[in-house]
Each structure stands twice: as C-alpha cells, then as structure tokens.
Amino acid sequence: MQTAPSATSPRRRHDLDRRNLSWYVDKVVQVLVFVGGASAIVFIIGIFVFISKEGYGFIAHTMDVAEFFTSPRWAPTSEHNPTYGALALIVGTASVTGLAMLVAVPFSLGAAIFIAEFARGKTREILKVMVELLAAIPSVVWGFIGLSILNPLIIDLFDVPVGLGILNSGLILGLMAAPIMTTIAEDALKAVPDHYREAAEALGATRWQVTRRVVLPAARNGLVAAVLLGVGRGFGETMAVLMASGHSVNLPTSVFDSVRALTATIAAELGETAHGSDHYSALFTLGILLFVVTFVINLTADLVIRGIRKK
Amino acid sequence: MNRIIERLGYVRTTGTIEVHGKDVYGENVELIQVRKQVGMVFQRPNPLPLSIRDNVLFGYRVHQPEGRKAPRNRRDDIVEDALRQVLLWDAVKDKLGRRATALSLEQQQKLCIARLLPVKPSVLLMDEPCSALDPAATSAVEELLWELRGRYSILIVTHNMAQARRASDECIFMLLGKVIEHSKTEEMFVTPTRKETADYIEGRYG
C-alpha cells in the first residue's frame, strides 16, 4: 500500500517515517553490544588458531602419538635422545586436581549449604564477603603458603623427606577452588524457589530435612556445574601447583610423591626454548591438550546449567 | 497457627492459639509437633518438585523415625488413601511417577491437601486456598472441604464473603488482627451483632 510521499505534503504532521535521536542511539548501542558479544567468539577462535599453529610443527613431524600419551619420560632437552612423553604430566595434573576436588567438594558444598540454608542475617552476610575475599587471593600467595607453611607441616606430620607433592598441591588447589565453587553452589541453592522450603517446613520438616529432601535435589544440576567449574579451575591453575607440587617429572606412587603439572611445565619451560623448535611446539601441544580438556569440562558444566533452565 | 509465619521474621504475634489445650506459642511446645498437628494449605498451590507419589509421602517420611522404613505396599496404600480422600486418585493413579508441578492448579492444590493427610493432623489450616483457582476449581475444592468435614477441623481464611458463607459452619470475623465476632455462619450472615461485621457483609468497606 502506497501512501503519499511526505515530501510532497506541505506540513509533516503525520510523518510516520521520522527517526529521532533515540532511534540512532539504539542502533549504535546494538552494534556496540554486538561487537562486545562477538569478541568472545573472535578471541576464543583466535587463541585456538594461535596455539594450533604453534603446536602444528610438533604434531605433524616429531610427535609420536603413542609415545606422547603413554610414555612418562618428558625429556625434551636431552641432547642425544629427546623424548616427549606427556603421561607423567597428565597423571600429575589429574592426581593433583583429583585430590583438590576431594578437599574442595565437601568444603564448598558444606559452606554453600550453610550460607544458603542455615545462616541468617549478619552471619550470612559476613560469611559471603569472607568467601569472596578468599576467592580473590592471588594464586602465587597460595603457592607461597604451600611452600612455606604446608611443606614443613607435612614433613613433620608424616615424617617424609620432602613436603612438596600431590598432597601439598592438592590441598592448596582444593582451598583455592573451594571459594569459587561455594559461590556458584550457593547461587544454585538460592535459585530454588522459597515456596518449596515453605511447603516442606509447614509439613513439619526440619531445616536439614528440607535441605536434603527438597533443596538439594532441586539444585542438583547447579551443584554439579559448580563442581565441574572447580575441576576446570584445577586443571588450569599454574602458579600454585608449580610451587607446591615439587615439579619433578614422575609417575606418582603415593600422595607424598612430587609430580609435575601440564600447566606448570609450560610456564617453566617456555621461556627457555628457541622459538619454533621442537621443544617449543611440543609445549604448545600440551597447551592444546589443556585447552581441549578445560573446554570440554566448561562446556559440560554449561550444558548442565542449561538443563536446569529447561525444567 | 502452625507458626510458619515465623519465617518472615518481621511479624509480631500476640494472643494465644490453643491446639489440644496447649498454646502453640507455649514454652515447652515443639515446633515440629505443632506443624504435625496443624497441616497448612497455602494461597498458591506449592507442590514440591518431586513426583506425585513422593509429594504425598513427603510429610509421612519426615515424621517417620530415622532408619525405619515402611514396606512398599504399605506406602502404596498411604498414597492411594490420601489421594482418594481428596478425590484425586482416579485422575492421577496412572501417573504417580510424574512431576507434581506439571499438574493443573486445581490438582496441585488438591495434592497439597492430600500430602497433609498421611501425617494425621487434627487441624487443616487453609490460607485462601482458592484464590489462585478459577471458579470451577474453586467449587471442586470447596466440595472437597465438605468431604473432609468431620474428619478434620478445617480452618479456612478467605476474603470471599460468598465462599465464607458457602464453605463453613462457623465464622470468625477478624479486622486488623482482632477477632470482632464469632458465631455460627448462618447467624453471622443473617443477624450480625457487631456493626463492623454488618458493614463488611454489606460491602460498605473491604
């Protein structure tokens, strides 16, 4: 349907096509917000392309897949026979993260349940601030605590020659991951509608019965996501693990054994390698491995969280 | 009356409410036992996010001594009995495992009444149980009230004059937290003794 062009009419009283300032502001903001959102995708693809490119030389030419995943010998600087077995590093990262989760899961879930379900008023507010402060402690400080406090403590308590190892770094990493997991888990518990609690309490359920039978099942997905994000954090943590784990390539046989983590290896060795050398790109291959693992963990956590919303 | 109001934290309560000759705010009264005796139905149906069956059994399990579990067929009987009492059995008997939150509002509200019954309360406290329901569901719930009458003391709070008249034997008129008048329903609506009551019934305020 064609209306008379407004230019021909002398008075523009019904100018339905007029665009005011707000219209332009809206458009500009839309573009800006889009750029902000899209940059996340650009960065993640950019980073992936970069580490793939740097690691490519190793993967294509030198890498022996079987050796990489099954050999515990990581000796890239050996003059005669450099070997690139990442098994010890993978086991190191996995064992430290595993112990860290054993520490962090009960602590953080306990703290989250207390803050969300039991604590009232001032106690709750103070605790929340404390947990957030705990999350803000830099990882190098945690590493320092591992080196200077936990190390002699473990030596004294268990009568072992060195206190740096899985136990030390697992404890440190667990304490590091706990605050973040607590915050996310608490959010998940908060998201459970209050009328569920009201209904259960009116039936004469105690606080704990309400929590165990109603709130925890309803918040299950969020709690799983919190744990997964903690695992992701454990995998990616570098500095504290580097300082507290002892950093020796080793297939551990006990929790007191020193191990080396994937991340710590990259951090410690990358500065000493020649750009473009086999060693250099081998480290980037470790980076790809880390990237893929954390990506999968975070993606799983995200899908689990989405699972809640669908219901 | 089952002290759920304490959740709010900012309310002040005065006066006494006696259940079985004991003040529910009395010193040596256990909150859990009060809530066991006085089942409460809320304005908005609030089934728990569990299956229909688990909803009915929730209160029962909560009050069961820890570690003692009734055999399965006993629990089945409890579920069936409670759902039959609220006239819901035929509608849901084939989908007891479904989530209770997927039921219609009317069915949810009936379920909320049903889950009180296995606890064996003596009083059912209903806070505007029909205010979130449409007229058909309202009449279904009111019918249920008559059905349950005699087995439980039912205390229903309502702003709906017609409902108060339809669904009760005795009426208490309260204004600003104070009891103004208490009499048989038919007497109150025909011959109210207090002026406030008369004014309210005639719709001069409210």
Side-chain angles (χ1 to χ4, degrees), chain A residues 49-93:
Chain A
V49 167
F50 172 71
I51 55 174
S52 303
K53 192 168 73 64
E54 297 293 324
Y56 174 75
F58 176 74
I59 296 177
H61 304 298
T62 325
M63 180 169 158
D64 174 353
V65 177
E67 185 199 39
F68 187 77
F69 284 107
T70 57
S71 162
R73 262 180 62 80
W74 176 261
T77 49
S78 163
E79 270 184 42
H80 311 293
N81 179 26
T83 49
Y84 300 94
L87 182 65
L89 311 180
I90 296 170
V91 171
T93 289

Side-chain angles (χ1 to χ4, degrees), chain A residues 229-307:
Chain A
L229 287 174
V231 173
R233 172 117 168 88
F235 258 84
E237 175 50 38
T238 309
M239 188 44 78
V241 178
L242 173 64
M243 292 167 79
S245 68
H247 201 59
S248 66
V249 181
N250 191 10
L251 271 185
T253 50
S254 87
V255 288
F256 301 109
D257 280 357
S258 171
V259 290
R260 188 191 272 207
L262 288 164
T263 48
T265 307
I266 300 175
E269 293 181 4
L270 194 58
E272 307 164 359
T273 58
H275 185 98
S277 66
D278 274 352
H279 186 188
Y280 175 86
S281 44
L283 290 178
F284 271 94
T285 309
L286 294 184
I288 296 173
L289 182 65
L290 266 176
F291 185 90
V292 170
V293 170
T294 36
F295 184 75
V296 168
I297 291 173
N298 282 4
L299 195 68
T300 317
D302 201 50
L303 291 178
V304 171
I305 291 179
R306 244 163 249 270

